[in-house]
Amino acid sequence: MYKRILVATDGSKLSNMAVEHALTLADLTGAEVVALKVIPRYPQTYFEGGVALAAAEIARIEAQWNEEALAVVNAVKSAGQLREVKVKPVTVKSDLIAEAIIATAKRSKCDLIVMASHGRRGLKRLLLGSETQQVLTHSHTPVLVLR
């Protein structure tokens, strides 16, 4: 049924549930898994009174974020090896998380996206947004959402 499943993860407890579902589904269908962690770029401040960091400090922070992201997707790869599921760990740098998820799914020729949703409502959803909602709205690839 599925040949390649993209699972979007940030290493949180909630996204780990999505990882478990994606690995189980891949195991049952013989699919490969693409484990994706989107890394944001360090925000540049252009507002009066904002504190700008030196380029070297920003590079250090971004390198740390990259290491942490690699650890997250490599943990998915290790979990997949225990189940004999092939996992390709992928990290992408982007401030547009939903767009990065959709683009990676398309580029990797995935036929399913698995991700978690925090299920925020009201003001929290308005202020924090919903990457899952953006993926659901704009993706041409089927999306399995777990809560």
Side-chain angles (χ1 to χ4, degrees), residues 43-60:
Q44 302 294 323
T45 179
Y46 299 107
F47 299 106
E48 186 177 329
V51 178
L53 294 177
E57 183 64 13
I58 291 172
R60 185 193 67 75

Side-chain angles (χ1 to χ4, degrees), residues 2 8 41 50 68 137:
Y2 298 114
R41 298 181 195 282
E68 291 168 356
T137 303

Side-chain angles (χ1 to χ4, degrees), residues 32-145:
E32 297 177 4
V33 171
V34 175
L36 174 66
K37 168 74 169 100
V38 180
I39 308 165
R41 298 181 195 282
Y42 190 85
Q44 302 294 323
T45 179
Y46 299 107
F47 299 106
E48 186 177 329
V51 178
L53 294 177
E57 183 64 13
I58 291 172
R60 185 193 67 75
I61 291 168
E62 286 184 336
Q64 180 182 345
W65 288 351
N66 190 51
E67 286 177 27
E68 291 168 356
L70 287 171
V72 167
V73 293
N74 285 330
V76 177
K77 183 177 181 178
S78 296
Q81 287 173 335
L82 294 174
R83 298 173 184 224
E84 298 181 4
V85 172
K86 183 179 177 188
V87 177
K88 178 182 177 185
V90 176
T91 60
V92 174
K93 246 185 205 183
S94 178
D95 292 326
L96 304 171
I97 295 170
E99 286 183 19
I101 292 169
I102 293 166
T104 302
K106 186 175 183 179
R107 188 173 45 253
S108 300
K109 297 183 172 107
C110 295
D111 35 28
L112 180 69
I113 298 171
V114 178
M115 58 192 307
S117 174
H118 289 92
R120 294 185 186 105
R121 300 202 185 280
L123 188 58
K124 281 186 180 178
R125 181 173 181 169
L126 180 66
L127 294 174
L128 299 175
S130 172
E131 299 302 334
T132 304
Q133 184 63 39
Q134 291 295 318
V135 172
L136 281 168
T137 303
H138 299 290
S139 177
H140 295 290
T141 303
V143 181
L144 172 62
V145 179

